[in-house]
Every structure is written in structure tokens, then in C-alpha cells.
Amino acid sequence: MKTKITLEEAHEILKSCFELNDTEMVSIFDAHQRVLAQDIFAPIDQPPFDRSPVDGYAIKASDSIGASAEHPLKLEIIEEVFAGQFPEKEVLEKKACRIMTGAPIPRGADCVIRQEEAAESVGFVEIQMQLVSGENYCYQGEDIKKGEHILKKEDVLNYAGIGILVCMGITEVLVYKIPKVAVLSTGDELTPVGQQLQPGKIYNSNLYMIGMRLKEFGMETIILGNVADDIEESCKRIKEGLAQADILITIGGASVGKKDLIKESMREVGADTLFWKVNMKPGTPVLVSKLDGKPIISLSGNPAAASISLEVMVREFLAYYAHRNDLIPQKTEAILDNSFNKESTRRRVLRGKLVKKGADDVVELVRKHSSGVLSSLYHCNCLVDVPAGTAALQKGQSVTIYKL
Ligand code: AMP
Ligand code: MG
């Protein structure tokens, strides 16, 4: 088993040991925000016919030559066509077809004059300007050409993607399955919210924090509840939990205390331990194991440690596992707006808030950084990645951040 590895090594191990390629066909109405597992090529042209983008008169441009306000030219109206209809007659010389937006342009016409720029008298239209061929003319396939590669494998289908599928007449698509992630907290001290707190007990906040964040990541989240610090009970709940899910996340008991029983439980259930401890602060005591081919990720019970590990370690893995490129944590540079007066002998991850100050994006570090502090996560929208061996941080200094 590897220990005290870097965050990047943790990513590598997780990505090389686990992958999910399960796909399913779903109705396009259930495909919103899902990840495409196929490339989509346009089966038809969009629009499927030449159409008018304006309300007006379809004519031959050559019939408008010489037309002006002083010398209007009169064309005979041969047909009227609305959106949803199909014109029957061909537009010949000196003829016009009354046409509405979205209606197919009749044979023979090569442009459309807007009704605002024409005057209709019974059976005739007066043209007072010259048009060129193709003016106010929307060609078949102008938006999407048949055979065009319109949507790509691994695209997350947004509203426009669903619109495109509908206009192509596609009713079902192949998508990657959403990973089921089960969350189990551990600890004798944890009390379900709604019950009276007894001395020495605390409420089980992490179970829901981690669960809700996984939901925000788009995972199918199963909140398993809490298990006491007891090996036998833990083993039972770990096995049951993993059976329902693709990934199990446990919270607490991953450190070195007498009642930190996760490591021992993993041995008991026969899981392979892939690594223990990542070199960063907070979030050092994470344990990653493999059972039945599935990952069990055991986080520290400290609220900030658990959340930070989830953001910087688990999220990157989930992005890969769920084929969600949009979920990959984005690293950028930003300027600090306050100082942090401790040196970082080990890699440190600080909570911050990215705010606009004039033209610049600056990071305000939160005031309380201890791993047991939950409150400073609320307004935190970025994490500052401080490399090992960094001196105290000064206001105005450039730092690397992960946007959350
Ligand atoms: P552990 O990782 O189990 O050693 O727990 C570290 C600290 O986090 C202890 O103070 C625990 O009481 C606290 N803790 C553990 N699990 C939770 C949880 N689910 N919700 C809130 N605090 C927790
Ligand atoms: Mg504990």
C-alpha cells in the first residue's frame, strides 16, 4: 500500500484503477444534462427546405431591376403561402407569391421582399426597390447540413443540445450512466438532526454536506446514514452500501486514533487498500480501497478536510469516471487580497472567496482555516493551492486557485 502520496499520484491511482463505461439509451427528454456516449451526425437538413425569413413577397430578383419609389413595378400575386403549407405554383416572370415567415419559398423565386417595403393592391404588389438574388432567402441546410457532426461523444447535453436533437427528429440517444455514489458516515458521537444532543455528541453535518455536494456534481447520491465506531457493524454497512452503488464514500475514522476503524474494516471486508494519506493539509487521512472492483474512498471526518478532499481529489476522479469533462476542477492564477501568516512546510489548501475588485479578480482568504471549521465553507468559492515549502503569503501575491 502506498502512503503519503501527492494529490496528483492519488488522481493517477484512482483513474488507473477504476472506470465506468456503462451506457444506456434514453429518451431525449431524459437526456438533459447527461453525457453523450455517441457522436451524432445530422440525419436531415435544417431547415429541411428553402424558407422565407420575413413576411413579404417571393419574387424573381430580375423582376425588381429598375424599381424605385418613383418607378414602382407591379407584379401579379399568384398564391399565398403560410408557415406549415407548401406552395403549389411556380413564380414566373412578373409574378409574386405572398409569403409568411417560415413558409417554403416557391419554385422560380430567388428572393423575398419584405411587406414593409412593398405595397399591395388587389391581386398585385408594387415593388419600389431593387433586390438581389438570395436576398431574404434562407437556404435548406443553412443551419445544419445533413451528415454534419453536430454533437460529440462526451458532450454534456444542455438546452440547446436537446433543441438540436429535436429539430433533427432524433428521439433517443446513448448516454453514460450516472454513477451511483453512496455516502456513509462513521462515529459514535454523531447524532441525527432532529434528535436532542446529548453531552459529547454533535450533529452529523458531513453526511449531508458531502451528499449534497455529490448531488451538485450531478451524481446519483445515496445517503446511507451513520455507523457507530464498531468493526463488525462497519463491515456490514460497508458491504451493504457498496452493493447498492458504484462508489462508496465513507466519512471519519480514517486517521490513527484508537477508534479510527476504517482501515481495519477494509481489511476485514477483504478490500485492497490502494493508498493511505495524501500529502496535503487539511485532508491528509484519506484511504482509498478497492472491493468488488469498486472504489471505496474514506475521507477524514473533519468537515473542512472532508470537503476539501472531495473538491481536490474526489471531484477530479468523478469527472473522469462519469465522463464529465465539465467537472474537472479549473486551476487559474489569482491575486491575494489578504495575507496568511503561517509558512507551509507541507502542501496546504486554503479556503477563499474570489471577488471582483475593480478590473481584477482577487481572493479573500477566509479567517478560520482549521480542518474542523465548517462555517468558512459557506461563502467559499475557491481553494488556494499552496505548494510545500512556501513562506507566509502576502497580500498582492499571485496564487494558484481551484474554482469551485
Ligand atoms: P474522525 O475523522 O472520525 O477522527 O473525526 C474527526 C473530527 O470530525 C471529529 O471531531 C469528529 O467528531 C468530526 N466528525 C466526524 N464525522 C463527522 C460528521 N459526519 N459530521 C460532523 N463532524 C464529524
Ligand atoms: Mg470518528
Side-chain angles (χ1 to χ4, degrees):
M1 177 194 61
K2 293 193 170 173
T3 186
K4 294 197 179 147
I5 61 174
T6 64
L7 186 56
E8 288 68 25
E9 284 171 313
H11 293 154
E12 274 317 302
I13 294 174
L14 277 161
K15 291 185 203 172
S16 63
C17 291
F18 308 101
E19 64 179 337
L20 186 71
N21 282 315
D22 290 354
T23 57
E24 57 186 338
M25 278 305 265
V26 296
S27 148
I28 55 163
F29 305 113
D30 297 322
H32 186 223
Q33 307 291 27
R34 299 290 301 270
V35 186
L36 267 181
Q38 65 173 138
D39 284 307
I40 307 258
F41 296 90
I44 57 172
D45 282 326
Q46 169 61 22
F49 47 83
D50 292 355
R51 69 182 178 189
S52 176
V54 297
D55 295 310
Y57 302 84
I59 61 167
K60 287 186 184 298
S62 54
D63 279 343
S64 71
I65 294 170
S68 68
E70 296 76 42
H71 301 286
L73 295 177
K74 241 180 163 186
L75 305 177
E76 189 195 346
I77 298 172
I78 52 159
E79 193 179 2
E80 188 171 55
V81 54
F82 294 91
Q85 297 180 336
F86 205 83
E88 284 170 6
K89 295 183 185 152
E90 180 174 355
V91 174
L92 301 171
E93 267 175 37
K94 305 277 182 271
K95 308 287 181 199
C97 173
R98 178 75 170 112
I99 194 165
M100 310 307 151
T101 305
I105 293 179
R107 276 179 302 124
D110 63 354
C111 66
V112 179
I113 181 162
R114 292 173 185 279
Q115 69 180 47
E116 297 87 332
E117 284 154 359
E120 192 172 327
S121 53
V122 190
F124 288 88
V125 60
E126 271 188 9
I127 310 292
Q128 303 190 345
M129 62 181 286
Q130 290 196 156
L131 284 98
V132 292
S133 181
E135 202 166 337
N136 297 325
Y137 194 112
C138 180
Y139 290 91
Q140 175 173 341
E142 185 176 284
D143 184 357
I144 299 169
K145 268 253 161 311
K146 183 175 172 176
E148 201 179 305
H149 191 182
I150 36 174
L151 302 175
K152 297 194 176 61
K153 191 171 168 174
E154 306 227 327
D155 281 351
V156 177
L157 284 171
N158 66 2
Y159 68 97
I162 301 298
I164 290 170
L165 290 169
V166 173
C167 91
M168 290 288 104
I170 295 170
T171 55
E172 287 187 317
V173 282
L174 191 71
V175 293
Y176 287 107
K177 282 201 172 158
I178 297 174
K180 288 193 191 116
V181 188
V183 194
L184 177 70
S185 67
T186 69
D188 288 340
E189 74 280 32
L190 300 172
T191 304
V193 67
Q195 285 182 19
Q196 186 71 38
L197 271 190
Q198 300 302 325
K201 309 284 186 187
I202 57 168
Y203 286 121
N204 189 354
S205 51
N206 284 358
L207 178 66
Y208 299 97
M209 280 213 314
I210 297 298
M212 294 309 120
R213 190 61 175 148
L214 289 164
K215 277 196 178 174
E216 290 178 7
F217 292 162
M219 302 299 127
E220 188 179 326
T221 306
I222 306 166
I223 307 264
L224 295 170
N226 186 58
V227 62
D229 291 319
D230 173 272
I231 295 262
E232 210 176 307
E233 193 54 23
S234 296
C235 290
K236 181 170 165 274
R237 298 287 297 279
I238 286 164
K239 284 193 268 183
E240 283 172 5
L242 193 65
Q244 304 171 44
D246 299 302
I247 299 174
L248 174 65
I249 293 184
T250 69
I251 304 165
S255 193
V256 293
K258 270 192 167 175
K259 281 224 166 182
D260 285 336
L261 304 175
I262 281 292
K263 261 181 89 188
E264 209 175 319
S265 305
M266 289 305 147
R267 257 199 309 274
E268 281 295 310
V269 296
D272 288 336
T273 301
L274 304 180
F275 64 85
W276 183 43
K277 293 187 177 171
V278 172
N279 239 328
M280 58 180 249
K281 201 176 167 192
T284 307
V286 297
L287 177 77
V288 169
S289 322
K290 181 176 184 174
L291 182 62
D292 300 334
K294 299 175 188 176
I296 304 177
I297 302 173
S298 302
L299 306 176
S300 161
N302 278 308
S307 306
I308 289 172
S309 297
L310 188 76
E311 296 297 337
V312 301
M313 188 188 84
V314 183
R315 179 174 170 162
E316 169 123 4
F317 167 60
L318 289 175
Y320 160 84
Y321 188 80
H323 302 264
R324 285 274 309 278
N325 296 322
D326 62 309
L327 206 60
I328 297 172
Q330 294 301 310
K331 267 193 178 185
T332 63
E333 298 291 305
I335 301 296
L336 274 187
D337 198 41
N338 46 6
S339 57
F340 179 77
N341 52 25
K342 281 189 210 161
E343 87 175 285
S344 304
T345 44
R346 298 171 52 213
R347 186 177 193 169
R348 196 194 283 277
V349 180
L350 297 170
R351 282 153 270 177
K353 189 175 170 192
L354 192 60
V355 289
K356 269 253 170 289
K357 224 180 187 184
D360 299 322
D361 285 336
V362 296
V363 177
E364 288 170 1
L365 294 173
V366 301
R367 279 189 306 113
K368 299 179 191 168
H369 283 285
S370 136
S371 64
V373 168
L374 181 156
S375 57
S376 52
L377 287 167
Y378 189 52
H379 294 292
C380 163
N381 64 5
C382 72
L383 296 173
V384 179
D385 190 359
V386 185
T390 305
L393 302 172
Q394 308 300 330
K395 178 179 169 143
Q397 185 174 340
S398 176
V399 286
T400 303
I401 61 161
Y402 296 96
K403 287 189 186 169
L404 299 186

